[in-house]
Amino acid sequence: MEEKRNKAAGIGGLISAAVLPFIIGLILALVIGWWAFPLVLFKEVPQPVAFKHSPHSEVMECADCHFLREDGSFSGIPTTAECASCHESAQGESRAEAEYIEKYVNGEQEAPWLVHQKQPDNAFFSHAAHSLESCQQMGCHADYEKAEDLCITCHPSTADLDKPVPYLENRLTGYSNSTMKMWECERCHANPNHLDMTNANNACYTCHK
């Protein structure tokens, strides 16, 4: 009987000796994968100007700065000339605004804004095809009433932010950590009946030219 107990205790000790390192290794792997590796892979790069969305969203619509041109191309980030229509002179006491006017408006140069969702060269994205008007006509997102409601399905809402969203650049690729991944596009393109409102083409050439 005593021999059996000793044998069981020995087996239990072996199991404990094997399980404990596994648990410790798993915890270390999770810490490295979720915390340490991203810190090493990404570096935070400041925007050229500490732009605040919140005061602009109080007096302007998103489409005043981010709009589709008549040819269907997307304006993206406003040019210095467009910003100067309001900021030819300072509108407040913000140091960031004063620096922007002095360096870019008076210096007649474009600010090198960092685009969070810049796509790789092999990917093509049409904002016109994903606009509210286009989607309503195609039956993709007919339930949205405002363009802003549609935009934030892919872009984080920045209307209430008092400081720029941190730009985290991948040290290997040079792209932002916010660059949309293929699986995000496939939420709609690989699922034609996604949320009962998507009618997206899933052909490769739709996005890859």
Side-chain angles (χ1 to χ4, degrees):
M1 190 70 175
E2 186 68 26
E3 184 180 348
K4 289 183 178 179
R5 287 188 188 139
N6 292 335
K7 188 175 181 180
I11 294 174
L14 288 174
I15 293 175
S16 298
V19 170
L20 185 60
F22 172 78
I23 293 175
I24 293 175
L26 178 61
I27 293 173
L28 286 175
L30 292 174
V31 170
I32 293 172
W34 287 345
W35 180 73
F37 182 69
L39 287 179
V40 174
L41 183 61
F42 294 98
K43 63 177 180 180
E44 185 171 337
V45 183
Q47 292 284 2
V49 181
F51 177 83
K52 295 182 179 181
H53 270 93
S54 56
H56 293 81
S57 63
E58 292 174 358
V59 296
M60 302 169 65
E61 298 292 333
C62 297
D64 290 332
C65 294
H66 311 288
F67 55 89
L68 288 171
R69 302 185 182 94
E70 291 184 1
D71 63 359
S73 60
F74 186 60
S75 64
I77 296 173
T79 64
T80 297
E82 290 169 328
C83 295
S85 62
C86 293
H87 295 280
E88 186 175 2
S89 59
Q91 302 296 307
E93 299 180 357
S94 167
R95 181 179 178 181
E97 182 188 21
E99 292 176 348
Y100 176 77
I101 292 172
E102 179 181 356
K103 184 173 183 178
Y104 299 105
V105 176
N106 295 340
E108 297 183 348
Q109 60 177 314
E110 299 298 328
W113 299 106
L114 301 170
V115 181
H116 284 269
Q117 294 190 324
K118 180 181 178 182
Q119 295 300 303
D121 294 336
N122 68 337
F124 171 77
F125 180 86
S126 170
H127 275 88
H130 295 81
S131 67
L132 184 61
E133 179 181 3
S134 176
C135 284
Q136 285 177 332
Q137 290 175 351
M138 295 175 65
C140 298
H141 302 287
D143 292 341
Y144 291 112
E145 295 182 359
K146 298 190 301 181
E148 290 84 352
D149 296 332
L150 174 60
C151 294
I152 61 175
T153 60
C154 294
H155 299 279
S157 178
T158 57
D160 298 327
L161 296 183
D162 290 328
K163 59 182 180 180
V165 176
Y167 184 91
L168 300 178
E169 181 182 284
N170 188 310
R171 297 177 190 271
L172 299 178
T173 66
Y175 286 101
S176 162
N177 74 326
S178 300
T179 297
M180 288 188 67
K181 312 302 186 294
M182 188 170 178
W183 66 265
E184 294 178 275
C185 301
E186 287 183 335
R187 286 183 302 177
C188 291
H189 283 269
N191 296 281
N193 296 316
H194 178 59
L195 299 179
D196 295 325
M197 62 182 182
T198 304
N199 184 25
N201 191 331
N202 195 36
C204 298
Y205 61 79
T206 302
C207 301
H208 299 285
K209 305 297 183 183

